[in-house]
């Protein structure tokens, strides 16, 4: 029996599901080259380079040619700011959640302590409650807390505590940590304790054992935890929506705001850039992985 | 290596208690005393859960005794962590660092001692020579065969020149042929370096082949310590006689004791059996008679004046070097006899056959009278 | 001091887990407690909270109004109960459809040649990494009255000379369902794949050897062994569908109000955080009950982190 033999039904279903997954994305990318400004119908590519010329709502000629909307996008300062915020939030929250999540995974997997089962349980809670519950909870917490603090210290004007990058980062850490912990924990489950015992046996104390043996061996797990935290942060809409404030708009929030008002090919261009970056990163990671496997 | 004490390792009244998953307490090691001499190849032998690995781990410092203490070179170890003990371990799983090369693995211990680079290089080189892994320095553990990994694990521990080398079933993962080769090699290396080896195994043949002395353990206790010949030829209990090799047992009451001999009335045989009184039993006491299958002389006519018993061959199994003969003695008693195949023959009549009447001769000097445990 | 730290394993463990635990307490448990407290309060005129102990928010959610046209103390008003019911049924149907679509694909990938398996998996992950909001936008483009789907049908109709009125697809419950299925499909494929991948080929061979035909092998061996993946996937799909408000907002417009929209609305437009908090707690309790009953039989293991 060939284990790779599959029923024709499975093959057809597979093709259809992949089509379902990719058709919308392909349309999205195609429309980022749309000559029509209203972006309702695909009016073809912008045919030529040169000074901007409009024919009705159709772009006839652009300095960037078919890449007209990408050029427009690059001039959009709001997008630039949102991109910067998004990356700042993702990097900082990933960094912190990876560290404390790895620590927690080590604790739960390796040690016995009184709060162990409570810790494990509390890490499952954010996974099994809807994000919006956590989002409005954190919003309530911050507004109450800031209200009290601003009142107590008589903070006024710019020095008032308010929602912003800080609150978003702190909240992103809260929902990333459980995922980091679970990923690292899964890695530690297959980790034989005798590696650490061997290091200690050979004269390494606990700290050296950790840095020279444990950490390098769980590093792939830590990295995939970090990658997960990073993508969760980049992708997050709900929690950010409730914890963000003026000046801390992220790309998803910005796009959402835009979509409620207008639909322009700039959003498509933004999507295309985003997808291109994701594909590049995935491709590089794949290359790296297959190199490591050898 | 300075010898400050009579013993390289000593366990004094050591108890190690674990909590079982059911929440009850279990003494994995139960009041164990053990003295391991300098330069000795000492084996702890027993089935899984007998406490041999826990004892070894307490010597290494991975576990601490609940009661009693481990002494290394006469020094009580208490809660000394592994990295401060003058012992090194070869792990059952080898525990080679997968992210380091063979060279880095072996050099790791010396690096921890902050040995100068050129010294590290010469010492690692010497060890690579010893375990015949020259040219493998830059490979990673995964690229090596099981036997090669085993050698790296050995070299990594030996390069530190520990006072005592602890080995936890180091050959368990190897196939039979390789295991036999490595047994001899390990023994040769031990004799060359002169380091005390403490070796944990569940394989009795391995223990008998390599050890200077063996401790047979069961249920957290040491049953007997002795040189291999003693363990096999003069087991002190039914457990040891049964665990090491095979044996036939009868129970009975001692009738008379004469010098080193004792005579026991065995109800199941409805007869008296005389043997060596190795258990120092007295008249009227219960005793256990133990005789190894290869030490029973099987014949058609009695070869002895007493201590012979008639029976009928129940089954025979031809295993090449020997024929295993199972003899029905009546009264539900079956004795096993290993008969060496000294003659090369294809004729079935050259061997004992089912239903044949035979006589089993139990030479008193081969028959052990043990105290009931 | 160092010796005591070294020997006190319990203290070491507590120390290592404490940052995470503090974070969870501060940003998960305290907010949940605050939400609970507020949900029993009433709002004042400018959207602030008057603390108290009143069940009126919950009474409203379960179908009674205290603001009756006839002036009675309370009367039946299923507005909010309908929203809860709609959210539950949408989450249910999304999950069912997602399982039906995900299972064959996961099966295909799990049985693919190991060399190509990673590529197929990556193809599932890539749409997931395009942003959540962007994915909704893609469906807005497809479903709009002058969108791609209507465009294609119109073009085909014109070729056959048939009169074609563009279909109203956007801002319908169907649009929300399609959007939800699209958003959460990968979250089902990956856990099911993970549990299918673990099934050893000899197991299939044993089943065949014992006389099971491929269909019976699937029913008796494959399906039961892949249940942990289906359970994990269901949790990863059902819960977010219950709480999402962007999909219904952008694809459903004012036509499809889900509990997520209700909560968001109470906090940002209607300015009644007490009612929003009560709705949020009910939402959480509903998902916890579903999760509890659903995982009680199968539990969920590492499949939950397959994504």
């Amino acid at each position: 029996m060939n284990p790779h033999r599959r029923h024709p039904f499975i093959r057809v279903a597979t093709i259809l599901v992949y089509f379902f997954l990719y058709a919308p994305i392909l349309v999205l990318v195609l429309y980022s080259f749309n000559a029509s400004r209203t972006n309702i119908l695909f009016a073809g590519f912008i045919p030529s380079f040169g000074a901007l010329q409009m024919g009705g709502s159709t772009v006839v000629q652009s300095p960037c040619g078919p890449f007209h909307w990408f050029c427009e996008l690059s001039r959009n300062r709001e997008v630039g700011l949102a991109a910067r915020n998004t990356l700042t939030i993702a990097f900082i929250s990933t960094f912190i959640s990876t560290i404390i999540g790895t620590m927690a995974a080590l604790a739960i997997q390796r040690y016995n302590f009184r709060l162990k089962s409570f810790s494990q349980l509390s890490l499952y809670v954010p996974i099994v409650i809807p994000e919006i519950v956590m989002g409005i909870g954190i919003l309530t917490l911050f507004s109450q807390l800031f209200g009290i603090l601003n009142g107590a210290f008589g903070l006024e004007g710019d020095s008032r505590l308010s929602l912003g990058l800080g609150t978003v980062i702190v909240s992103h850490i809260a929902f990333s940590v459980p995922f980091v912990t679970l990923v690292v924990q899964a890695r530690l489950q297959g980790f034989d304790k005798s590696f650490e015992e061997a290091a200690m046996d050979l004269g390494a104390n606990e700290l050296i054992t950790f840095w020279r043996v444990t950490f390098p061996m769980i590093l792939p797990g830590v990295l995939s935890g970090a990658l997960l935290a990073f993508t969760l942060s980049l992708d997050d809409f709900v929690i950010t929506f409730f914890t963000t404030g003026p000046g801390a708009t992220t790309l998803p929030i910005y796009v959402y705001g835009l979509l409620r008002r207008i639909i322009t090919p700039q959003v498509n261009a933004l999507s295309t850039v985003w997808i291109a970056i994701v594909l590049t990163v995935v491709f590089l990671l794949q290359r790296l992985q297959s190199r490591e496997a050898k | 290596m300075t010898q400050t004490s009579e013993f390289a390792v000593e366990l004094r009244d050591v108890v190690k208690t674990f909590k079982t998953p059911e929440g009850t307490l279990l003494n994995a090691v139960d009041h164990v005393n053990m003295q391991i001499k300098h330069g000795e190849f000492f084996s702890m032998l027993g089935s899984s859960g007998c406490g041999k690995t826990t004892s070894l781990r307490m010597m290494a410092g991975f576990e601490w005794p609940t009661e009693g203490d481990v002494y290394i070179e006469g020094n009580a170890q208490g809660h000394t962590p592994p990295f401060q003990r003058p012992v090194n371990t070869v792990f059952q799983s080898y525990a080679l660092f997968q992210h380091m090369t063979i060279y880095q693995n072996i050099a790791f211990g010396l690096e921890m001692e902050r040995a100068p680079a050129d010294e590290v290089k010469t010492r690692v080189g010497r060890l690579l020579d010893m375990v015949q892994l020259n040219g493998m320095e830059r490979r990673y553990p995964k690229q090596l065969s099981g036997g090669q990994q085993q050698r790296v694990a050995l070299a990594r521990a030996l390069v530190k020149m520990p006072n005592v080398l602890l080995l936890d079933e180091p050959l368990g993962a190897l196939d039979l042929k390789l295991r036999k080769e490595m047994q001899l090699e390990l023994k040769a290396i031990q004799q060359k370096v002169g380091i005390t080896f403490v070796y944990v195994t569940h394989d009795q043949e391995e223990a008998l082949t390599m050890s200077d002395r063996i401790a047979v353990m069961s249920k957290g206790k040491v049953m007997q310590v002795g040189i291999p010949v003693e363990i096999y030829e003069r087991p002190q209990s039914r457990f040891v006689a049964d665990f090491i090799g095979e044996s036939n047992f009868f129970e009975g009451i001692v009738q008379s004791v004469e010098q080193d001999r004792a005579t026991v009335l065995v109800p199941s045989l409805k007869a008296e059996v005389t043997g060596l009184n190795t258990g120092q039993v007295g008249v009227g006491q219960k005793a256990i008679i133990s005789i190894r299958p290869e030490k029973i002389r099987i014949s058609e006519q009695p070869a002895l004046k007493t201590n012979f018993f008639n029976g009928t061959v129940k089954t025979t199994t031809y295993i090449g070097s020997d024929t295993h003969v199972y003899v029905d003695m009546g009264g539900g008693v079956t004795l096993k006899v290993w008969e060496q195949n000294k003659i090369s023959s294809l004729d079935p009549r050259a061997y004992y056959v089912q239903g044949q009447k035979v006589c089993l001769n139990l030479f008193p000097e081969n028959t052990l009278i043990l105290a009931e445990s | 001091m160092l010796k005591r730290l070294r020997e006190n394993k319990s203290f070491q463990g507590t120390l290592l887990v404490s940052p995470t635990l503090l974070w969870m307490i501060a940003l998960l448990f305290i907010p949940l407690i605050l939400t609970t407290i507020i949900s029993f309060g009433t709002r004042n005129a400018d959207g602030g909270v008057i603390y108290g102990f009143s069940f009126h928010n919950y009474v409203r959610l379960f179908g009674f109004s205290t603001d009756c046209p006839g002036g009675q103390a309370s009367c039946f008003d299923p507005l909010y109960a309908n929203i809860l019911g709609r959210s539950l049924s949408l989450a249910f149907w999304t999950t069912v459809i997602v399982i039906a679509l995900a299972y064959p694909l996961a099966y295909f990938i799990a049985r693919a040649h190991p060399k190509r398996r990673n590529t197929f998996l990556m193809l599932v992950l890539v749409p997931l990494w395009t942003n959540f909001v962007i994915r909704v936008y893609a469906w807005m483009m497809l479903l709009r009255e002058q969108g791609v789907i209507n465009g294609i049908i119109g073009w085909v109709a014109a070729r056959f000379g048939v009169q074609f009125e563009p279909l109203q697809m956007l801002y319908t419950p169907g649009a929300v369902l399609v959007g939800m299925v699209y958003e959460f499909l990968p979250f089902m494929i990956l856990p099911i794949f993970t549990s299918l991948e673990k099934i050893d080929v000899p197991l299939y061979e044993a089943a065949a050897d014992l006389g099971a035909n491929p269909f019976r092998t699937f029913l008796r061996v494959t399906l039961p062994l892949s249940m942990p993946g289906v359970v994990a996937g269901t949790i990863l799909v059902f819960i977010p569908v219950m709480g999402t408000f962007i999909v219904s907002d952008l694809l459903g417009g004012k036509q499809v109000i889900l509990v997520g929209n209700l909560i968001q609305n109470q906090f940002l437009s209607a300015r009644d955080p007490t009612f929003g908090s009560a709705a949020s707690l009910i939402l959480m309790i509903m998902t916890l009950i579903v999760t509890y009953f659903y995982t009680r039989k199968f539990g969920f293991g590492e499949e939950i982190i397959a994504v």
Side-chain angles (χ1 to χ4, degrees):
Chain A
M1 194 171 109
N2 177 4
H4 304 302
R5 196 188 52 137
R6 288 162 304 228
H7 197 271
F9 165 76
I10 301 279
R11 289 171 173 277
V12 173
T14 300
I15 293 168
L16 289 179
V17 173
Y18 273 127
F19 178 77
F20 176 66
L21 280 174
Y22 278 90
I25 293 174
L26 293 178
V27 169
L28 204 64
V29 172
L30 181 70
Y31 271 62
S32 62
F33 298 96
N34 197 353
S36 160
R37 191 164 63 174
T38 51
N39 209 21
I40 290 171
L41 287 171
F42 189 70
F45 297 103
I46 298 163
S48 54
F49 293 86
L52 185 62
Q53 266 183 41
M54 302 290 294
S57 64
T58 309
V59 182
V60 179
Q61 185 178 303
S62 159
C64 302
F67 299 101
H68 174 72
W69 301 113
F70 295 89
C71 290
E72 293 279 291
L73 183 71
S74 70
R75 280 197 288 275
N76 188 329
R77 289 198 46 229
E78 286 176 26
V79 169
L81 201 62
R84 214 177 67 192
N85 285 337
T86 309
L87 288 176
T88 310
I89 293 163
F91 274 113
I92 298 179
S93 68
T94 301
F95 184 72
I96 297 175
S97 59
T98 304
I99 292 173
I100 69 173
T102 304
M103 283 163 61
L106 280 167
I108 293 171
Q109 205 61 36
R110 291 297 180 73
Y111 295 90
N112 274 313
F113 49 97
R114 204 178 305 157
L115 291 169
K116 183 168 167 167
S117 39
F118 174 72
S119 309
Q120 181 78 81
L121 185 78
S122 72
L123 289 171
Y124 277 113
V125 174
I127 300 175
V128 296
I129 64 173
E131 251 187 305
I132 192 171
V133 176
M134 209 166 148
I136 64 121
I138 296 175
L139 169 66
T140 309
L141 170 76
F142 282 134
S143 54
Q144 300 276 335
L145 187 70
F146 290 169
I148 293 169
L149 290 178
N150 286 334
F153 296 104
L155 301 173
E156 274 174 34
D158 278 352
S159 61
R160 283 176 68 92
L161 294 167
S162 64
L163 297 174
L165 273 186
T167 49
V168 178
I169 291 170
V170 163
S171 314
H172 277 216
I173 294 169
F175 71 72
S176 308
V177 161
F179 287 95
V180 174
T181 309
L182 290 176
V183 169
V184 178
Q185 246 184 293
R187 179 85 192 180
L188 280 169
Q189 253 155 22
F191 187 85
D192 191 346
K193 236 184 151 173
S194 60
F195 292 114
E196 285 165 338
E197 289 181 350
M200 292 234 217
D201 185 71
L202 294 167
N205 64 27
E206 289 90 345
L207 272 182
I208 298 177
T209 300
F210 181 79
W211 283 114
R212 294 288 307 274
V213 175
T214 315
F215 186 69
M217 293 187 87
I218 63 170
L219 188 61
V222 174
L223 285 181
S224 49
L227 190 66
L228 184 59
F230 193 76
T231 51
L232 284 173
S233 172
L234 282 187
D235 201 45
D236 182 72
F237 175 81
V238 177
I239 301 247
T240 315
F241 183 80
F242 287 108
T243 53
T244 191
T249 304
T250 63
L251 278 175
I253 302 283
Y254 173 76
V255 172
Y256 174 74
L258 220 55
L259 294 185
R260 300 199 62 185
R261 289 179 281 127
I262 41 156
I263 292 180
T264 125
Q266 263 196 51
V267 180
N268 294 65
L270 178 60
S271 312
T272 305
V273 171
W274 188 293
I275 293 165
I277 291 173
V278 167
L279 281 178
T280 315
V281 171
V282 168
F283 180 73
L284 288 178
L285 283 178
Q286 283 278 77
R287 282 283 296 272
L288 206 71
Q289 230 173 17
S290 60
R291 267 217 351 239
E292 248 172 48
K294 280 174 203 160
Chain B
M1 213 186 321
T2 50
Q3 299 197 351
T4 52
S5 151
E6 187 185 349
F7 300 115
V9 183
E10 197 182 353
L11 301 192
R12 284 194 206 157
D13 205 28
V14 168
V15 179
K16 178 66 187 178
T17 311
F18 285 119
K19 209 174 202 165
T20 60
E22 294 81 46
T24 55
L25 295 176
L26 176 84
N27 283 356
V29 173
D30 197 358
H31 297 282
V32 162
N33 285 289
M34 215 184 270
Q35 281 103 26
I36 300 165
K37 295 176 208 154
H38 289 287
E40 188 172 41
F41 196 120
F42 187 91
S43 292
M44 292 190 274
L45 175 64
S47 45
S48 66
C50 74
K52 56 187 194 300
T53 297
T54 308
S55 300
L56 193 84
R57 290 172 60 81
M58 285 192 285
M59 294 176 193
F62 305 138
E63 314 275 357
W64 295 319
T66 316
E67 286 173 39
D69 208 346
V70 175
Y71 293 76
I72 297 172
E73 298 297 341
N75 301 318
Q77 294 299 307
H79 288 190
T80 309
F83 47 85
Q84 288 167 3
R85 296 189 185 209
V87 300
N88 288 111
T89 308
V90 178
F91 290 82
Q92 182 173 15
S93 58
Y94 312 145
L96 298 180
F97 306 131
Q98 305 295 323
H99 57 293
M100 297 184 196
T101 62
I102 301 311
Y103 183 89
Q104 288 168 332
N105 263 283
I106 300 176
F108 186 86
L110 297 176
E111 224 180 292
M112 293 302 124
E113 289 173 9
R114 299 176 194 284
D118 47 338
E119 190 195 327
V120 173
K121 210 168 170 191
T122 35
R123 280 171 74 179
V124 172
R126 207 159 57 218
L127 259 296
L128 281 165
D129 271 345
M130 189 188 284
V131 298
Q132 300 160 37
L133 282 175
N134 276 319
M136 302 281 184
E137 294 92 326
R138 306 186 67 172
R139 297 208 189 170
Y140 284 89
K142 271 187 191 155
Q143 297 167 309
L144 265 52
S145 72
Q148 289 171 324
Q149 291 185 27
Q150 211 286 318
R151 288 156 193 269
V152 177
L154 183 67
R156 187 178 69 176
L158 272 180
V159 78
K160 304 240 327 170
M161 293 309 275
N163 289 22
V164 181
L165 187 74
L166 308 171
L167 302 102
D168 184 8
E169 306 229 13
L171 307 180
L174 303 180
D175 63 50
L176 187 67
K177 195 161 172 284
L178 198 54
R179 197 154 69 216
K180 300 245 171 195
E181 282 174 29
M182 280 306 294
Q183 284 173 9
L184 298 175
E185 203 174 317
L186 260 182
K187 180 75 187 169
I189 288 175
Q190 193 258 339
Q191 278 163 353
K192 191 168 159 195
V193 296
I195 290 175
T196 311
F197 274 35
V198 182
Y199 193 96
V200 159
T201 181
H202 66 273
D203 182 337
Q204 41 164 308
E205 204 183 309
E206 194 166 285
L208 291 171
T209 312
M210 303 164 74
S211 316
D212 294 322
R213 284 198 307 149
I214 299 171
V216 181
M217 296 184 69
S218 171
K219 292 179 184 163
K221 288 185 164 34
V222 175
M223 304 305 289
Q224 188 172 350
V225 181
I227 62 172
V229 174
E230 269 173 6
I231 296 286
Y232 190 79
E233 301 295 351
R234 292 292 180 270
Q236 285 164 2
S237 60
R238 178 173 182 156
F239 175 83
V240 174
D242 199 24
F243 185 74
I244 312 288
E246 290 194 50
S247 204
N248 296 294
F249 297 103
F250 313 102
E251 288 168 16
I253 307 289
V254 180
Q255 301 298 307
S256 63
V257 176
E258 201 179 310
Q259 285 174 337
D260 62 342
R261 305 281 167 104
T263 302
V264 177
L265 176 67
V266 179
S268 60
L269 289 177
K270 299 188 188 76
E272 289 188 339
V273 179
T274 303
L276 282 177
N277 187 7
T278 53
Q280 308 286 316
V281 286
V283 176
Q285 284 183 329
K286 282 186 177 176
I288 291 171
I289 297 166
S290 164
I291 182 156
R292 303 243 179 234
E294 75 274 14
K295 298 200 195 315
I296 296 176
R297 167 93 73 85
I298 185 167
S299 58
E300 280 166 25
Q301 297 301 322
L304 289 170
K305 292 196 178 70
T306 58
N307 254 22
F308 66 85
F309 305 93
N310 293 314
T312 314
V313 175
K314 204 158 127 190
T315 52
T316 63
T317 315
Y318 174 82
I319 64 152
S321 60
D322 292 326
T323 300
H324 290 182
V325 186
Y326 295 84
V327 181
D328 183 3
M329 309 303 292
V333 179
T334 303
L335 284 190
K336 38 196 178 188
V337 181
W338 300 170
E339 181 73 357
Q340 215 179 6
N341 296 327
K342 290 228 166 91
I343 302 158
S344 178
S345 171
L346 292 177
D347 186 350
R349 283 168 299 175
Y351 306 92
Y352 290 95
V353 293
Q354 194 181 342
Q356 192 175 351
K357 300 279 181 210
V358 291
C359 182
L360 301 185
N361 305 280
L362 273 53
F363 289 86
E365 60 270 31
N366 294 342
T367 308
L368 308 178
I369 313 287
L370 309 174
E372 199 185 42
S373 43
Chain C
M1 177 63 203
L2 184 67
K3 194 166 142 61
R4 279 208 37 205
L5 177 62
R6 179 171 284 155
E7 293 187 10
N8 192 342
K9 295 270 173 197
S10 155
F11 180 65
Q12 290 173 18
T14 314
L15 207 63
L16 282 173
V17 87
S18 54
T20 294
L21 203 57
L22 286 178
W23 221 285
M24 297 325 285
I25 290 170
L27 285 141
L28 184 68
F29 293 111
I30 293 179
L32 283 178
I33 293 166
L34 276 177
T35 309
T36 315
I37 294 172
I38 287 174
S39 74
F40 290 108
T42 43
R43 72 157 179 167
N44 63 20
D46 56 345
V49 180
I50 305 166
Y51 294 98
F53 192 73
S54 151
F55 281 97
H56 80 281
N57 284 324
Y58 292 96
V59 171
R60 272 171 80 195
L61 276 169
F62 286 112
F64 298 94
S65 174
T66 47
D67 182 21
C68 303
Q72 309 96 307
S74 75
C75 52
F76 185 63
D77 177 7
L79 175 64
Y80 299 119
N82 278 347
I83 292 176
L84 289 179
R86 189 183 299 135
S87 302
L88 265 178
S89 104
L90 182 79
F92 172 79
W93 286 111
T94 304
T95 309
V96 169
I97 295 170
V98 161
I99 292 175
L101 293 180
Y103 205 104
L105 183 58
Y107 188 83
F108 177 89
I109 302 175
R111 302 285 288 272
H113 193 277
K115 270 187 180 168
R116 265 165 289 168
R117 210 175 282 165
N118 250 349
T119 313
F120 285 130
L121 266 185
M122 273 300 148
L123 283 175
V124 174
L125 281 168
V126 168
L128 193 67
W129 289 338
T130 68
N131 194 272
F132 191 95
V133 183
I134 289 175
R135 292 200 297 273
V136 189
Y137 172 56
W139 280 96
M140 289 176 75
M141 299 205 56
L142 289 171
L143 298 174
R144 272 188 305 169
E145 202 165 329
Q146 286 159 304
V148 178
I149 293 176
N150 273 327
I152 291 171
I153 301 175
W155 181 78
V156 173
R159 295 215 82 179
F160 288 95
V162 185
Q163 194 66 24
F164 173 69
E165 279 294 309
L167 300 168
Q168 173 66 41
M169 290 182 287
L170 196 59
Y171 308 127
T172 61
V176 178
L177 183 65
V178 170
M180 292 284 194
V181 168
Y182 185 72
E183 286 287 3
F184 295 105
L185 183 56
F187 289 96
M188 184 66 81
I189 297 171
L190 295 169
I192 295 180
F193 163 77
T194 309
S195 59
L196 282 173
E197 196 196 22
K198 283 191 208 153
I199 305 174
D200 283 339
V201 170
L203 225 50
Y204 294 120
E205 291 169 348
D209 181 65
L210 295 169
N213 63 29
F215 183 66
R216 286 182 61 97
T217 304
F218 177 78
L219 278 189
R220 297 291 301 277
V221 178
T222 316
L223 198 58
L225 285 173
S226 62
M227 273 323 275
V230 176
V231 171
T234 301
I235 288 168
L236 291 172
V237 171
F238 188 88
I239 295 168
V241 172
M242 284 293 288
T244 300
F245 61 89
I246 332 170
V247 179
S248 44
D249 195 22
L250 294 178
L251 298 178
K254 299 230 161 16
Q255 307 304 309
V256 189
I257 307 282
L258 299 179
V259 60
N261 304 79
L262 176 68
I263 297 169
Q264 180 224 4
N265 202 23
Q266 296 305 317
F267 271 86
L268 297 174
S269 328
R271 296 188 66 79
D272 186 355
T274 67
F275 189 55
S277 295
S280 164
L281 278 185
I282 293 297
L283 168 64
M284 183 179 83
I285 290 164
M286 286 198 304
T287 54
L288 287 183
I289 289 172
V290 171
T291 310
Y292 175 74
F293 281 105
Y294 203 67
T295 52
R296 204 166 51 159
K297 182 157 178 210
F298 301 102
F300 56 93
E302 54 184 292
E303 278 85 1
I304 199 108
I305 49 164
V307 180

